[in-house]
Amino acid sequence: GNSVTQMEGPVTLSEEAFLTINCTYTATGYPSLFWYVQYPGEGLQLLLKATKADDKGSNKGFEATYRKETTSFHLEKGSVQVSDSAVYFCALSGLTGGGNKLTFGTGTQLKVEL
Amino acid sequence: EADIYQTPRYLVIGTGKKITLECSQTMGHDKMYWYQQDPGMELHLIHYSYGVNSTEKGDLSSESTVSRIRTEHFPLTLESARPSHTSQYLCASSEYRLAGGEEQFFGPGTRLTVL
């Protein structure tokens, strides 16, 4: 079946540091890949997505590239801010026995300090 | 403005009570979902629906039930709440896309505490 593995947190960084959150996946066929973000006390919001190999999703300074050869979709940001503190979820959307559903990773908490 | 709403945002209730968590969306999406999010943050799909009068159980077994009588409304009911039901419940919706890449839109969640 489909699965997503992402690095465990919490990840603690100083403001303006470089961020990488690793995400790898297992899936049959050609899944779409997503990063969602959850701020404290809120639901999830789509941060970025990529629907085919070598696509790069980007938003708010975050980027991730769909790498089929390494089955990865790592999230990066060049300079994090305190306001980026949140939980980040990697997810894939692909056909399963129950139809086209999202499979989430376990989430990575990011804490950015001044 | 198109959106997805959940009420209540917070609920504290005693064991044995019947509760209904409300979820509504104004985007006309056919697909709707309920997730349970544990304190470790992991999300578990407990119910989904691909349209009116369609409901399916998700990956995680749940004692809750759902109904989908109207496209925009997808309530979740617990007939007899127990402390083990204490969790965050997230509702989501998406538009069907044959080619995949469906983005799910999430509500703000209901934090349920059963005493």
Side-chain angles (χ1 to χ4, degrees), chain B:
Chain B
E1 179 181 317
D3 214 334
I4 181 163
Y5 306 93
Q6 289 186 245
T7 57
R9 291 292 312 276
Y10 303 92
L11 180 61
V12 180
I13 202 162
T15 296
K17 300 291 186 183
K18 178 180 177 179
I19 60 168
T20 297
L21 307 185
E22 301 288 349
C23 176
S24 295
Q25 51 97 3
T26 59
M27 295 171 280
H29 289 165
D30 286 325
K31 295 184 173 182
M32 295 190 74
Y33 312 82
W34 276 104
Y35 293 87
Q36 186 172 336
Q37 185 173 29
D38 60 28
M41 304 177 301
E42 192 166 356
L43 289 155
H44 303 284
L45 180 67
I46 53 175
H47 298 282
Y48 61 98
S49 167
Y50 284 171
V52 171
N53 294 325
S54 152
T55 61
E56 302 286 344
K57 289 191 179 296
D59 305 320
L60 179 69
S61 176
S62 174
E63 293 166 346
S64 59
T65 59
V66 292
S67 62
R68 189 89 182 276
I69 299 172
R70 304 198 313 266
T71 298
E72 64 271 20
H73 195 213
F74 191 42
L76 181 145
T77 298
L78 275 166
E79 290 292 333
S80 180
R82 294 208 300 270
S84 60
H85 297 137
T86 294
S87 190
Q88 165 101 318
Y89 292 85
L90 293 170
C91 181
S93 70
S94 68
E95 182 179 17
Y96 175 74
R97 290 182 188 171
L98 180 63
E102 296 173 10
E103 172 188 349
Q104 287 189 16
F105 294 83
F106 283 79
T110 294
R111 183 163 295 283
L112 172 66
T113 302
V114 184
L115 302 175

Side-chain angles (χ1 to χ4, degrees), chain A residues 11-111:
Chain A
V11 173
T12 303
L13 296 173
S14 298
E15 202 170 41
E16 300 184 1
F18 184 85
L19 168 71
T20 300
I21 300 178
N22 291 337
C23 172
T24 58
Y25 67 90
T26 302
T28 54
Y30 302 94
S32 297
L33 301 173
F34 305 82
W35 276 101
Y36 281 83
V37 59
Q38 185 177 29
Y39 297 102
E42 298 182 12
L44 277 69
Q45 303 173 25
L46 179 68
L47 182 59
L48 53 85
K49 71 177 184 181
T51 58
K52 61 182 188 297
D54 299 325
D55 266 3
K56 178 186 283 188
S58 61
N59 185 27
K60 301 180 181 180
F62 291 90
E63 293 183 339
T65 301
Y66 188 160
R67 302 282 189 203
K68 192 166 177 62
E69 63 276 13
T70 54
T71 62
S72 65
F73 193 55
H74 304 321
L75 182 68
E76 296 182 336
K77 187 176 185 183
S79 176
V80 294
Q81 306 299 313
V82 172
S83 57
D84 294 327
S85 298
V87 179
Y88 292 81
F89 291 90
C90 185
L92 71 83
S93 173
L95 288 174
T96 67
N100 202 358
K101 293 182 287 183
L102 278 180
T103 299
F104 286 93
T106 52
T108 302
Q109 184 173 18
L110 171 65
K111 299 179 181 178

